[in-house]
Amino acid sequence: MDATEATSAQTSVGVVIPRRAAFREPLPLKCGRSIANYELAYETYGKLNAARSNAVLVCHALNASHHAAGVYADEPNNVGWWDNMIGPGKPLDTNRFFVVGVNNLGGCHGSTGPLSINPETGVPWGAHFPLVTVEDWVNAQARLADHLGIQQFAAVMGGSLGAMQCLQWAIAYPQRTRHALVIACAPNLSAQNIAFNEVARQAILTDPDFHGGDYYAQGVQPRRGLRVARMVGHITYLSDDEMASKFGRTLKNGRVNYSFDTEFEIESYLRYQADKFSGYFDANTYLRITKALDYFDPAFDHAGDLTRALAPATAGFLVVSFTTDWRFSPERSREIVHALLKNKRDVTYAEIDAPHGHDAFLLDDARYHKLVAAYFDRVFDGVGGGAA
Amino acid sequence: MDATEATSAQTSVGVVIPRRAAFREPLPLKCGRSIANYELAYETYGKLNAARSNAVLVCHALNASHHAAGVYADEPNNVGWWDNMIGPGKPLDTNRFFVVGVNNLGGCHGSTGPLSINPETGVPWGAHFPLVTVEDWVNAQARLADHLGIQQFAAVMGGSLGAMQCLQWAIAYPQRTRHALVIACAPNLSAQNIAFNEVARQAILTDPDFHGGDYYAQGVQPRRGLRVARMVGHITYLSDDEMASKFGRTLKNGRVNYSFDTEFEIESYLRYQADKFSGYFDANTYLRITKALDYFDPAFDHAGDLTRALAPATAGFLVVSFTTDWRFSPERSREIVHALLKNKRDVTYAEIDAPHGHDAFLLDDARYHKLVAAYFDRVFDGVGGGAA
């Protein structure tokens, strides 16, 4: 065990148990369909106080899940995806807050999704699973809050696509969202963002093993497509500079071999990430998540006016961007900040000078974590009723 | 005929005829192999003067060819890829210069490449065609120059990968390269550039129709892979801003349809480009061109010192970059300029404020074209012996 692991273990929430909540009432979806008899996988860390006022919802981005912190008893190496942020004494301090992580509807980590059995047909949903949206996810999360007896979240927090869910919480459930921590976000995808998503989708949709989305019955997965999709994604998560300093033009064997085997370290890294991802992630879920990203655009129904779209939000906001994030650049976060300020909302904005690109929101950067910790001090001041 | 076509016709080189030159002598390749009995497809515009001193070689980038200007008698809409640059009265003025366009070795537009018949086996080269490099291309071009009786080019000119060939000409054949016009170039690919190439390659290599590169015998083409490869490429050719202003979040049908059909204009554009490209381009050629890009790194044999790598070059240089080019950013062009200046070479450098990204080098931008025209005035001053 090295020093980092030791530190992490000392402040970990420890062993956690994933749970499931079942919902009978049909959930109307933005696409016009609805879904009944669905389940959401979730985890909680810390204790809900007597006033039920210290709950924080953590929303996940593209490939993450409800497993945001801690480890599983039978999988001690399966550390939650935001474990550096959540735990006793960490920026989101589980000694103070009751933290809820949830796998979104349509996911592939335990919540009802394309690979779940459709009770109406007895076979996996596959292609027939609806195209879910950020709005749908937030509505489903609100039902989970009801289930847990949480009337209002002290804060809703997320990065990237997770941050879009925070925006949506603040818009759709202003009374239930006391604070929103919107990290590495954009108010919608740019044409370039959509273009990258479309590359990923085309790679999957045209994979002969995709079988129109009903590949489960064939005993295959469109792994080739998923591999390419993941590689494209990874490039957009890292900054150009970070890739240059991490990999540069370093050759795997010191010289080029004039073959299509991996020559450069960066190729090796991408292939490794692609192989790993395509081994555990469901392609139908991936397709749907990219669509949810494309569709999210709260200003759309307000003729493109983000200020009007955000007018219902009454939460306090922390908006954080990272200088080298070229997927959701600081400029995009500033659009959100400006719209909130025009609405005279309480906003704290920080642009963190970090070299890591979009992925910075997941990393343990001291200035970033101090900022989030300080903001949560403020959130905690308003919790009242004493923490557990 | 609209106004643009009329203008174009007035200054076009008109109907051109592609030619082929056959080479018997084996060409040693950087990979250690050699190739014998190969042909190069080329075109010429304008007239070689009596002193044979007014020849300009135009090197092509990824998907272009020897057909740089004019049209074919039987294909009046097949306009050369740099027709806005090359022609009577145009920046590269065919009233003054004898212009040579050549399809690179390994190409799929007429020069010997993977889809040519390997004389030793009687079947297409396919997977067995060597991995050719920028250095190999330039050596092959030098033989074409011998064949045409051109001892020295007044200028060698290219954009992107074409510009890398210009650098290599200046390094390998200083006595034969009076000027080098190096446009939208980089002295080597960054990790991010290589990463995008690797995505394209993985899409092709894992396409079941690739058959290890010997797909010709199967009567198929790895079109799915080529489509994805082309989409990735296109994203990197356009600036984020250009995509935003050209496509933005414009919906094809005014509303989203919650399906995987095209929803946004940008998706429609990418699919169209992908379909078109995969219908005419050879996958084995595409793979090899991306590798030639990855491998090009003149500083590699000089411990990364570009100044030393460029020391042999004696040409006059015009280096041009475009502000919004994020594939080969101005910063990368400045590396070349600095290395040339350290060698006390004659360099003109311009950073053109253009919105179009990397593709700007192909577009008809007035400031850019005036600059190139002015530089060619200077080149022409040195031609001597009078133009044809």
Side-chain angles (χ1 to χ4, degrees):
Chain A
M1 186 182 276
D2 66 22
T4 318
E5 278 172 334
T7 311
S8 166
Q10 283 157 14
T11 59
S12 170
V13 297
V15 170
V16 299
I17 298 164
R19 301 181 190 281
R20 278 157 182 267
F23 301 86
R24 297 276 162 260
E25 172 112 6
L27 180 76
L29 302 172
K30 203 176 177 192
C31 66
R33 295 169 62 186
S34 72
I35 188 162
N37 295 315
Y38 61 93
E39 294 187 347
L40 294 180
Y42 70 98
E43 290 179 9
T44 69
Y45 325 116
K47 285 186 187 156
L48 190 59
N49 65 10
R52 297 180 170 275
S53 61
N54 69 334
V56 174
L57 177 69
V58 172
C59 303
H60 72 77
L62 216 147
N63 65 318
S65 71
H66 51 294
H67 185 39
V71 294
Y72 295 140
D74 55 348
E75 293 178 68
N77 294 320
N78 185 353
V79 181
W81 60 272
W82 222 352
D83 194 77
N84 61 28
M85 181 68 84
I86 305 163
K90 291 186 180 172
L92 175 44
D93 188 343
T94 50
N95 290 330
R96 292 170 155 190
F97 294 102
F98 176 66
V99 178
V100 181
V102 55
N103 184 213
N104 284 326
L105 195 62
C108 54
H109 291 290
S111 290
T112 298
L115 49 70
S116 308
I117 300 296
N118 178 353
E120 287 182 24
T121 62
V123 298
W125 278 95
H128 303 281
F129 197 86
L131 266 65
V132 283
T133 63
V134 169
E135 292 87 337
D136 300 330
W137 288 337
V138 166
N139 292 337
Q141 290 160 3
R143 289 193 176 182
L144 178 65
D146 295 342
H147 172 84
L148 296 172
I150 299 163
Q151 177 49 36
Q152 184 190 59
F153 282 110
V156 178
M157 178 184 193
S160 190
L161 175 57
M164 288 177 167
Q165 295 162 55
C166 300
L167 280 185
Q168 180 59 24
W169 261 99
I171 294 169
Y173 299 100
Q175 302 307 317
R176 307 187 72 170
T177 314
R178 208 153 62 71
H179 289 274
L181 286 82
V182 175
I183 301 168
C185 192
N188 60 29
L189 293 201
S190 69
Q192 190 188 67
N193 294 147
I194 296 172
F196 280 121
N197 277 348
E198 174 65 0
V199 171
R201 280 193 294 269
Q202 287 295 309
I204 293 169
L205 292 168
T206 64
D207 184 327
D209 284 339
F210 182 63
H211 296 288
D214 294 318
Y215 44 84
Y216 313 108
Q218 321 283 330
V220 293
Q221 276 265 0
R223 292 228 166 124
R224 287 173 289 241
L226 261 180
R227 286 181 81 253
V228 169
R230 184 58 167 172
M231 291 173 84
V232 171
H234 251 287
I235 298 175
T236 69
Y237 305 150
L238 295 182
S239 71
D240 190 14
D241 282 354
E242 177 73 357
M243 267 203 184
S245 67
K246 238 174 145 168
F247 306 104
R249 294 183 50 85
T250 307
L251 290 160
K252 242 186 134 225
N253 303 309
R255 58 187 290 278
V256 297
N257 293 304
Y258 301 100
S259 84
F260 296 114
D261 295 338
T262 53
E263 302 258 33
F264 293 93
E265 290 287 357
I266 179 64
E267 295 172 296
S268 179
Y269 170 79
L270 286 177
R271 290 190 195 185
Y272 172 79
Q273 295 292 343
D275 289 340
K276 196 170 75 168
F277 185 71
S278 68
Y280 77 83
F281 210 86
D282 179 58
N284 278 319
T285 290
Y286 197 86
L287 287 173
R288 279 159 181 74
I289 291 179
T290 64
K291 289 300 261 185
L293 274 160
D294 286 8
Y295 291 149
F296 184 69
D297 187 11
F300 184 79
D301 287 334
H302 301 276
D305 186 339
L306 186 63
T307 303
R308 279 171 55 204
L310 287 171
T314 54
F317 279 85
L318 174 65
V319 180
V320 181
S321 68
F322 300 92
T323 47
T324 55
D325 183 351
W326 63 279
R327 181 177 169 84
F328 293 164
S329 69
E331 194 184 354
R332 302 306 318 270
S333 278
R334 286 197 295 265
E335 290 178 37
I336 298 168
V337 172
H338 290 313
L340 289 168
L341 289 176
K342 278 191 195 160
N343 284 313
K344 303 192 191 307
R345 294 296 175 263
D346 183 356
V347 195
T348 302
Y349 174 59
E351 208 167 299
I352 307 279
D353 187 13
H356 317 97
H358 190 61
D359 261 0
F361 87 86
L362 292 167
L363 302 177
D364 191 355
D365 178 289
R367 282 171 301 177
Y368 162 46
H369 276 198
K370 269 189 191 165
L371 176 78
V372 172
Y375 195 85
F376 270 119
D377 280 345
R378 226 180 105 190
V379 175
F380 188 66
D381 285 344
V383 158
Chain B
M1 185 183 277
D2 67 21
T4 318
E5 279 174 331
T7 311
S8 167
Q10 282 157 17
T11 59
S12 170
V13 298
V15 171
V16 298
I17 299 165
R19 303 181 189 279
R20 279 158 181 267
F23 301 86
R24 297 276 160 261
E25 173 113 5
L27 180 75
L29 302 171
K30 203 176 176 190
C31 65
R33 296 169 61 187
S34 71
I35 187 163
N37 293 316
Y38 60 94
E39 294 188 346
L40 294 179
Y42 69 99
E43 291 179 8
T44 68
Y45 324 115
K47 285 186 187 156
L48 189 61
N49 64 10
R52 299 180 169 272
S53 60
N54 70 333
V56 174
L57 178 68
V58 172
C59 302
H60 72 78
L62 216 147
N63 66 318
S65 70
H66 52 294
H67 184 39
V71 294
Y72 295 140
D74 56 347
E75 293 179 68
N77 295 319
N78 186 352
V79 180
W81 60 273
W82 222 352
D83 193 78
N84 62 27
M85 182 67 86
I86 305 164
K90 290 184 181 173
L92 176 42
D93 190 343
T94 50
N95 290 329
R96 292 171 155 187
F97 293 102
F98 176 67
V99 179
V100 181
V102 56
N103 185 213
N104 284 326
L105 195 64
C108 55
H109 291 291
S111 291
T112 298
L115 50 70
S116 309
I117 300 296
N118 178 351
E120 285 181 24
T121 62
V123 297
W125 278 94
H128 303 281
F129 197 86
L131 267 64
V132 283
T133 63
V134 169
E135 291 87 337
D136 299 331
W137 288 337
V138 166
N139 291 338
Q141 290 159 4
R143 288 194 178 181
L144 178 66
D146 295 342
H147 172 83
L148 296 171
I150 297 163
Q151 177 49 35
Q152 184 191 58
F153 281 109
V156 177
M157 178 185 195
S160 189
L161 175 56
M164 288 175 165
Q165 294 162 56
C166 300
L167 280 185
Q168 180 59 25
W169 261 100
I171 294 168
Y173 298 100
Q175 301 306 318
R176 304 188 73 170
T177 314
R178 208 152 62 73
H179 289 274
L181 286 83
V182 174
I183 302 168
C185 193
N188 59 31
L189 293 201
S190 69
Q192 190 188 68
N193 294 146
I194 296 172
F196 280 121
N197 277 349
E198 175 65 0
V199 171
R201 280 192 294 267
Q202 287 295 308
I204 293 169
L205 293 168
T206 64
D207 184 327
D209 285 339
F210 182 64
H211 295 288
D214 293 318
Y215 44 84
Y216 312 107
Q218 321 282 329
V220 293
Q221 277 266 356
R223 291 227 167 125
R224 288 174 289 244
L226 261 180
R227 286 182 81 252
V228 169
R230 183 58 167 173
M231 292 173 84
V232 171
H234 251 288
I235 298 175
T236 67
Y237 305 151
L238 295 181
S239 72
D240 190 13
D241 283 353
E242 176 73 357
M243 267 204 185
S245 67
K246 237 174 146 168
F247 305 104
R249 293 183 51 85
T250 307
L251 290 159
K252 241 188 136 222
N253 303 308
R255 57 186 292 277
V256 297
N257 293 303
Y258 301 101
S259 83
F260 296 114
D261 295 337
T262 54
E263 301 259 31
F264 293 93
E265 290 286 358
I266 179 64
E267 295 173 297
S268 179
Y269 169 78
L270 286 177
R271 290 190 195 184
Y272 172 79
Q273 295 292 343
D275 289 340
K276 198 171 76 168
F277 186 71
S278 67
Y280 78 83
F281 210 86
D282 180 58
N284 278 318
T285 289
Y286 197 86
L287 288 173
R288 280 159 181 75
I289 292 180
T290 64
K291 288 301 260 186
L293 274 160
D294 286 7
Y295 292 147
F296 183 68
D297 187 9
F300 184 79
D301 288 334
H302 302 275
D305 185 338
L306 186 62
T307 304
R308 277 172 55 206
L310 286 170
T314 54
F317 280 86
L318 174 65
V319 179
V320 181
S321 69
F322 300 92
T323 48
T324 56
D325 184 350
W326 62 280
R327 182 177 169 86
F328 292 162
S329 69
E331 195 183 352
R332 304 306 318 272
S333 278
R334 285 196 295 266
E335 290 178 37
I336 298 168
V337 172
H338 290 314
L340 289 169
L341 289 176
K342 278 192 196 157
N343 283 314
K344 303 193 190 308
R345 293 297 175 262
D346 182 357
V347 195
T348 303
Y349 174 59
E351 209 167 298
I352 307 280
D353 187 13
H356 317 96
H358 190 60
D359 260 1
F361 87 85
L362 292 167
L363 302 177
D364 190 355
D365 178 289
R367 283 172 299 180
Y368 162 45
H369 276 197
K370 269 187 192 165
L371 176 79
V372 172
Y375 195 84
F376 270 119
D377 281 345
R378 224 179 108 190
V379 175
F380 188 64
D381 285 344
V383 158

